[in-house]
Amino acid sequence: LEKQTIAVVNPATNQEIVKVDMNTVEDLNEAVSKANKALPSWKGLTLKARAEIMYNYRDGLKQNRTVLADLIQAENGKTHGEALAEVDKAIEVTEFACSMPQIATGETLEVSRGVTCRDQLEAVGVVACITPFNFPCMVPNWTISIALVLGNAMILKPSEKVPLTALKNAEILHTAGVPKDMFQVINGDREIVEAICDHPEISAISFVGSTKIAETVYKRASQNLKQVLCLGGAKNYLIVLPDAHVDMTASNIAASFTGCAGQRCMAASVLVAVGDCESIISKVKEVSMTITPGKDLGAIITEESKNRIETLIANAERDGATVVLDGRNISMEGSYVGPTILDNVTPEMEISKEEVFGPVLCIMRVDNVEEAVSLQNQCNYGNGAGVFTQSGSLAAYVSEKLSAGMVGVNIGVPVPREPFSFGGWNASKFGTGDITGKSSIQFWSKKKKITTKWNPEDQINWMS
Ligand code: NAD
């Protein structure tokens, strides 16, 4: 039977780069069975020994920083600077994993005279990680080093749009000393994802992608009694108060909604202007006008996605939004949408309900902080949110009221740095805990509680 292939297309040129083999469900089954066979020797290493290998991996990522960024740029279409930044974040998460022998220590306590309880962390087994197109290196690396260092074997199913970075990542891991069967890449789409959800020997699954699929994967894999964490889409509200620092606020918001061409789950989506914020809004426009597609603004992943974004803008205009800056109809090679700002957007409009996933900022206008908070709270997503003000007490008040997992004060993209964890609320996440940081340790391990008594002559009962 001839292998099916996926064409990898560079969104900056719309030219095919290469064809990559798609895997079959049989390939997945074989990968899981190989992982299962090799798992005991990997689990048998000490945590410190596995961390040693993760140090090599971290060095490998550093050495291949530019090679990875070139691949990311080629298959995803983001700028080289953005590609380098995601490799750097992958390195940061790997450093967190390297520190696991210092963090994942468990507790020991003498609970009765001569009786000790202690925690022991054990690997979950063979786990899978399903990832989206928008961060071909960073998102897989939210999980790779943490899951591996804790003794698991991982199957990575990258987005079929960006398989090349994942394959290079595998090579770097194997060179670092991770046994081949402990980390395998399986390329495919829906059929493979469903097979992962149903596979009896895969014990835990992390998924990052759009909300609809995140929810489907969460339900299907949980139904099969797996440990599951699914991160979904987003719509991030930034509340701007009139006292905010004009230049800093404007440059942060412009960078937030245009960075990665708006194709990131922490991108600013809605600017909620409280009262008179005219000077800030006009500065956002001024800064955004200097951001040039193809130079400091990356491409949209496919022509189809570009058309979808342009239709959302057109429908918003039809429904009464004012187009302050129009990034449609760019005449250049590749799939580009320029920075777009829509004013007078209302919550009823389609554009307020859909995740746009493009460089589009919607401005909503309100009279006071309560209304601003209420708009954000009505949104069903809850990944990031933020407030711009110079008042500490107002910032504290708004941060308290926002319904989102990651909140920023005077920050356009409030992604927590390690060891603070990444994860949203509401329809932006299904499952408990976060994907990085300390709660990821719980997700990728099982806790065994061992109670010990070595004094048979003492008639100590359990509660003494
Ligand atoms: P997507 O949901 O289309 O794809 C994600 C993964 O699911 C891919 O590996 C894909 O092959 C697979 N998939 C696609 N269709 C499927 C189906 N019907 N059944 C099962 N699996 C399927 O997402 P995308 O377009 O690659 O990425 C963009 C989305 O990811 C956005 O919604 C964005 O907000 C979200 N995202 C969220 C976070 C976060 O941390 N919350 C981070 C990055 C991206």
Side-chain angles (χ1 to χ4, degrees):
L1 210 73
E2 229 180 80
K3 275 234 172 205
Q4 286 208 330
T5 56
I6 335 168
V8 184
V9 175
N10 182 344
T13 59
N14 284 337
Q15 301 297 316
E16 182 179 320
I17 311 169
V18 68
K19 283 193 171 49
V20 171
D21 283 345
M22 289 268 256
N23 289 110
T24 60
V25 173
E26 288 69 43
D27 295 336
L28 172 72
N29 293 343
E30 198 187 319
V32 175
S33 135
K34 281 201 278 186
N36 245 329
K37 269 202 204 91
L39 197 57
S41 61
W42 180 243
K43 271 167 60 171
L45 295 176
T46 59
L47 179 56
K48 214 164 157 47
R50 287 191 300 265
E52 203 61 52
I53 293 171
M54 287 308 137
Y55 277 109
N56 296 339
Y57 175 51
R58 179 247 191 203
D59 292 347
L61 287 173
K62 283 201 149 187
Q63 281 150 17
N64 287 283
R65 192 171 172 262
T66 319
V67 177
L68 283 165
D70 289 347
L71 282 172
I72 296 166
Q73 189 180 23
E75 63 182 354
N76 170 281
K78 63 177 66 177
T79 69
H80 205 254
E82 289 167 348
L84 285 170
E86 71 162 296
V87 180
D88 289 344
K89 184 65 191 181
I91 292 169
E92 189 176 87
V93 179
T94 307
E95 286 166 353
F96 173 71
C98 289
S99 68
M100 211 55 83
Q102 283 76 45
I103 308 171
T105 49
E107 287 182 359
T108 304
L109 185 70
E110 188 181 37
V111 289
S112 297
R113 215 156 26 89
V115 180
T116 304
C117 274
R118 75 177 169 88
D119 287 338
Q120 182 171 298
L121 293 187
E122 292 192 8
V124 180
V126 180
V127 301
C129 166
I130 302 159
T131 53
F133 79 81
N134 64 332
F135 284 96
C137 182
M138 180 188 79
V139 170
N141 277 288
W142 279 347
T143 57
I144 292 174
S145 55
I146 300 174
L148 287 174
V149 82
L150 290 166
N152 300 288
M154 177 173 276
I155 308 283
L156 169 65
K157 206 302 284 173
S159 161
E160 62 279 21
K161 298 187 181 97
V162 293
L164 303 180
T165 311
L167 292 171
K168 181 68 194 173
N169 228 307
E171 195 188 303
I172 301 169
L173 276 160
H174 297 148
T175 308
V178 174
K180 282 220 154 87
D181 295 342
M182 287 302 98
F183 183 82
Q184 300 172 78
V185 176
I186 291 288
N187 279 311
D189 48 27
R190 179 183 182 157
E191 193 193 4
I192 293 288
V193 172
E194 290 178 350
I196 289 174
C197 293
D198 296 344
H199 201 297
E201 285 168 13
I202 293 178
S203 310
I205 299 176
S206 73
F207 171 97
V208 180
S210 55
T211 286
K212 196 165 149 250
I213 299 168
E215 188 176 349
T216 309
V217 167
Y218 184 78
K219 285 182 178 159
R220 186 160 180 155
S222 311
Q223 183 88 26
N224 289 324
L225 307 179
K226 297 183 194 314
Q227 193 152 294
V228 201
L229 180 62
C230 296
L231 270 52
K235 198 142 188 92
N236 306 314
Y237 284 60
L238 300 181
I239 296 175
V240 176
L241 305 187
D243 73 332
H245 187 284
V246 176
D247 289 345
M248 186 271 289
T249 304
S251 59
N252 261 271
I253 292 180
S256 177
F257 90 89
T258 60
C260 298
Q263 298 169 110
R264 58 179 164 185
C265 62
M266 290 296 280
S269 182
V270 180
L271 184 170
V272 187
V274 181
D276 179 4
C277 295
E278 293 326 303
S279 53
I280 296 169
I281 289 173
S282 60
K283 193 79 189 172
V284 172
K285 181 182 173 190
E286 191 187 313
V287 177
S288 304
M289 283 169 74
T290 67
I291 298 170
T292 317
K295 188 168 152 261
D296 37 25
L297 182 80
I300 300 298
I301 191 71
T302 59
E303 200 58 18
E304 189 191 344
S305 303
K306 172 192 159 151
N307 294 338
R308 181 184 160 273
I309 295 165
E310 294 200 341
T311 305
L312 281 166
I313 299 168
N315 292 351
E317 189 178 21
R318 180 201 61 199
D319 295 342
T322 316
V323 182
V324 174
L325 186 62
D326 195 347
R328 286 172 291 180
N329 306 316
I330 290 201
S331 56
M332 60 188 276
E333 190 192 34
S335 301
Y336 285 95
V337 175
T340 300
I341 302 177
L342 302 171
D343 203 348
N344 303 311
V345 173
T346 59
E348 303 74 40
M349 291 179 189
E350 177 195 27
I351 200 148
S352 304
K353 294 177 185 144
E354 295 279 319
E355 181 185 31
V356 180
F357 228 51
V360 180
L361 182 70
C362 294
I363 301 175
M364 293 188 188
R365 301 202 173 241
V366 294
D367 293 329
N368 56 53
V369 169
E370 296 303 336
E371 278 179 61
V373 165
S374 149
L375 275 181
Q376 191 279 335
N377 287 181
Q378 280 165 39
C379 170
N380 58 339
Y381 295 108
N383 220 37
V387 57
F388 286 82
T389 176
Q390 299 196 59
S391 155
S393 59
L394 275 173
Y397 178 80
V398 176
S399 308
E400 179 83 23
K401 300 273 177 189
L402 290 170
S403 177
M406 294 168 280
V407 168
V409 175
N410 297 322
I411 293 188
V413 185
V415 171
R417 299 288 302 266
E418 301 312 309
F420 294 91
S421 56
F422 190 100
W425 287 4
N426 311 332
S428 295
K429 190 182 75 185
F430 304 94
T432 46
D434 287 334
I435 201 156
T436 62
K438 287 194 181 148
S439 62
S440 70
I441 303 174
Q442 266 176 39
F443 186 78
W444 296 118
S445 61
K446 297 186 285 196
K447 193 193 276 185
K448 187 176 274 174
K449 287 69 64 181
I450 300 178
T451 307
T452 314
K453 180 161 93 90
W454 285 111
N455 47 354
E457 64 287 354
D458 284 0
Q459 291 305 309
I460 294 170
N461 73 33
W462 181 69
M463 292 300 286
S464 57

